[in-house]
Amino acid sequence: MERFFKRKAPEPDSANIASNLCLDDINWEEEIKYDPGLRKQIDDYHPNLREMVRRKYLEKGPCQPRTCSFPVTNIGGGPRRFIPDWFDEFGSWLEYSESKDRAYCFSCFLFRGKKDGGYEAFVKNGWNGFHRKQRLREHVGDVGRSHYLAMKKCDDLLQTRQHINVAFRGVSESAKRDYMIRLNGSIDVARMLAKQGLPFRGHDESKDSLNRGNFREFRDFAAEQNPVLRKATSKGKSENSLLVSPEIQRDIVHCFAKEVLQAILEEIRNDVFCLLVDESRDVSWKEQMAVVLRYVDKCGIVKERFVGLVHVSETTSAHLKSSIDALFAELNLSLKQVRGQGYDGASNMRGEFNGLQSLIMRENSSAYYVHCFAHQLQLVLVAIVRKHKGVSDFFTKVSILLNVVGGSAKRREMIRDINLKEMSKALGCGQLQTGTGLNQEQSVQRPRDTRWSSHYKSLKSIVDMFSTIMKVLEIVEKDKDWKIRDQASNLREYFQSFDSIFYLHLMLTILGITNTLCLALQRKDQDIVNAINCVRATRCQLDELRREKWEKLIDDVYEFCEKNDIAKLEMEDEYIDPKKRRHKSGITNKHYYQVDCFNDIIDWVLQELDSRFNETSSQLLVCSASFSPRDSFCDFNVDKLLSLAKLYPHDFDSGNLRDLSNELGLYIFDVRNDDRFSNIQTIAELSQKMVETRKHDRYPLVYRLLKLVLVLPVATATVERIFSGMKIVKTNLRNRIGDQFMSDCLICYVEKEEMMKVTNESVIRRFMKMQERRFDDN
């Protein structure tokens, strides 16, 4: 490292700066002293540094304190002191030191050497002959003397265009502008790629490659469209700082992710939140844990925000807990802020003794666990399939049907061709209407094992394309492979039976009801009180289906059979078991289909709903329902809300509980008589309305309790959406992406709304602070 300062070996406490410091290490604020009596002499600096020091002093100017108290000293037989009017008389070269009570020459300090006359009096020791004003005139002297030459050198130094180092600085300023232009171009490209979840790198990024990767290709395209960027990236200006390297790309995306996280954390502040966690494998078979926080922002809006994806080497509860602790430490969050936990039903998550929820509750007893409502609904439908053999056989046949019909590109093309002919025929007969978005190309929807809403879509597609599917099965029956022929024949026989059509319409009706609940539970702003009401409404709707909708269902089945030439069964005839045709059942078709099928299936659904959603009867959720604003707050109950507050001892002490009791009485009287609260249906809307009307300030304890209810989790759908995004960000072709870079990309992809608010300036500031950059001002 270059030596800029001289160092006096025998004086370790010398005022000289250490000789091994570089220019960037100098603290100019401390080095350039305003008081001339405290300054180091210019000759004490290294020769390479002296001109820079002179410039710094010229920028600051001479020390001319005009309002200070000039001390009176007995000089020459009388009281004397420095006269501030001398500053105006002798101009900018005269200085005064308050610490030494002496006068100095600013110009001579900068350019007069130790061997020049007057150095000792006006440069080193200072002048205090205040009774001899003539001495100041003598110091100035005539043209060509030392003081005159020092003044001229000061003027020359102020003429910046005359100096080589100033010209070099001008070049540096130009290079810095080009650097910032290139950096902004790279930031714009990274913003677009991260927002769309696209890969950055290419397989071959050499100059001769036709595809150098998305980042370089988009950067080159941006340069072609933008003359300013094109000029800044031209040869000779950016050969060593193109700002397109993989490290730069990762740093920019990391800056975006950090800015998004900072915005989320600023919304949370020191407030409470709910923890939503789930884990899944990526395409590299690495277990990834997604963490989402549910909180209420300053506007009273419930938000669920993704804050990080963490690679976990094992999925034990203890390891997951330690990973969460590490993430919280990085985000400056505390488990003491957690007021709810939402996970799926895995034992490592919900275990009462050693599960993740129990480990967290040992540290924070107010972090109540609520099993994901959407996951419980899936378990309800899975249980029905396992319990009823007819339903189980039906879904098995549906799965085989979709494999046979949609198992090859040739059969899929058959479906399109036949469906197009059927549609053209129906349009010609006037059976279908034309219009935007109507009569689009259809395909068979494949179900997923863990998503029963997809089974609903599959059944809908079978109903809509039933005739097309049957025609495809007729064609497949002529296939050369005897196994496929037998499968197609058996499927055609089964799906042209009354039994299959009955199950098709029954399960379509039940799944239609539960699908509405499933979609409602997956909303990000769904609150626990409204979720409970949705579950109850679904139960009532299923109960109504059992009591009153049998006739409508059987009419729909008959109508479908007539339309597709399927033999109908008379309900009063004796039921014949297809597998035991010679055996007399002793019951009618109506008894079998209405009692043994229709009633039994719905009863089991109702039983499973009551069993799986037994948490809705817990004290926590029952008391929370008292906040519901429906029907002029008819469910409001002070005692239940006080009981709810007692469940959160960290938020309500004994004094708060007494104040809360008074506030609740005033609050309910106020909102019931305020027309602005008359049409509110959910507590999420209630929270926003309280902030809008400033009642959250009037009733702070009531609003605090309301927020505790709002942060309680409903479903982990947001976490599962993270894994859907992970499949877009990390693909088979991008399977070696690092864990940190993937987490950063995923934060930007999922939290698009927050990322688009991040400015280039904030990214640049963070980018410059990450490490030493070439044109870093700091």
Side-chain angles (χ1 to χ4, degrees), residues 341-605:
Q341 304 177 68
Y343 317 125
D344 59 17
S347 59
N348 63 333
M349 293 292 196
R350 65 170 300 178
E352 295 183 9
F353 301 104
N354 294 314
L356 178 60
Q357 63 102 358
S358 65
L359 295 180
I360 292 179
M361 285 198 73
R362 290 174 192 173
E363 293 189 27
N364 182 1
S365 59
S366 298
Y368 294 106
Y369 167 72
V370 178
H371 189 180
C372 171
F373 275 37
H375 185 258
Q376 292 185 83
L377 181 61
Q378 307 299 325
L379 296 178
V380 168
L381 300 173
V382 169
I384 299 307
V385 173
R386 290 175 178 175
K387 285 185 176 181
H388 196 281
K389 191 174 186 309
V391 176
S392 178
D393 291 343
F394 171 73
F395 278 109
T396 300
K397 294 290 186 182
V398 167
S399 178
I400 298 172
L401 172 69
L402 298 178
N403 287 332
V404 171
V405 173
S408 67
K410 181 179 179 180
R411 293 169 200 163
R412 287 181 177 273
E413 196 63 36
M414 285 183 194
I415 292 177
R416 295 190 190 98
D417 293 341
I418 296 173
N419 197 46
L420 181 61
K421 292 178 183 178
E422 294 286 336
M423 192 179 297
S424 301
K425 182 179 179 181
L427 287 171
C429 299
Q431 296 178 355
L432 293 177
Q433 297 180 351
T434 58
T436 303
L438 298 177
N439 310 316
Q440 296 189 7
E441 184 178 288
Q442 293 179 315
S443 62
V444 179
Q445 176 74 39
R446 279 182 171 273
R448 298 181 181 179
D449 294 336
T450 58
R451 293 290 177 271
W452 279 88
S453 57
S454 63
H455 286 74
Y456 173 66
K457 294 178 182 178
S458 297
L459 298 187
K460 279 182 63 179
S461 64
I462 291 175
V463 170
D464 294 337
M465 304 175 63
F466 188 82
S467 60
T468 301
I469 291 173
M470 291 301 106
K471 289 179 180 179
V472 171
L473 288 177
E474 282 186 43
I475 297 173
V476 175
E477 280 184 311
K478 302 174 183 177
D479 195 273
K480 296 179 180 179
D481 190 336
W482 65 271
K483 291 183 179 179
I484 296 177
R485 288 200 309 269
D486 289 348
Q487 269 189 334
S489 178
N490 293 334
L491 287 171
R492 189 161 173 264
E493 180 182 355
Y494 176 78
F495 280 100
Q496 285 188 327
S497 65
F498 182 87
D499 200 57
S500 67
I501 304 305
F502 176 81
Y503 282 119
L504 175 62
H505 282 76
L506 175 59
M507 294 311 300
L508 186 64
T509 304
I510 293 175
L511 291 178
I513 295 173
T514 58
N515 186 62
T516 303
L517 173 61
C518 185
L519 295 177
L521 294 177
Q522 294 180 40
R523 288 177 50 187
K524 288 186 178 182
D525 61 346
Q526 187 64 269
D527 60 82
I528 197 72
V529 174
N530 195 53
I532 295 171
N533 291 332
C534 289
V535 172
R536 291 173 179 169
T538 301
R539 194 192 186 289
C540 292
Q541 199 171 359
L542 288 169
D543 189 55
E544 182 184 0
L545 172 66
R546 185 189 187 283
R547 290 183 288 102
E548 303 176 5
K549 300 296 180 65
W550 158 255
E551 295 295 337
K552 183 180 183 308
L553 176 68
I554 203 66
D555 289 343
D556 291 341
V557 173
Y558 278 161
E559 181 181 353
F560 189 85
C561 290
E562 290 178 2
K563 180 181 177 181
N564 294 280
D565 297 327
I566 297 173
K568 297 185 293 185
L569 295 180
E570 292 295 333
M571 289 294 103
E572 300 304 326
D573 291 351
E574 183 179 2
Y575 170 72
I576 299 175
D577 188 342
K579 296 181 180 180
K580 301 178 181 179
R581 294 187 175 276
R582 297 182 179 181
H583 178 73
K584 291 187 177 182
S585 62
I587 57 174
T588 61
N589 288 325
K590 182 177 182 180
H591 183 277
Y592 173 76
Y593 286 107
Q594 183 176 6
V595 178
D596 295 347
C597 295
F598 182 78
N599 289 350
D600 277 0
I601 292 173
I602 297 177
D603 286 342
W604 277 332
V605 172

Side-chain angles (χ1 to χ4, degrees), residues 187-198 214 218 755:
I187 290 173
D188 290 336
V189 173
R191 183 194 297 272
M192 183 190 67
L193 294 178
K195 175 176 174 288
Q196 298 301 116
L198 297 173
N214 287 337
F218 278 108
M755 193 200 74

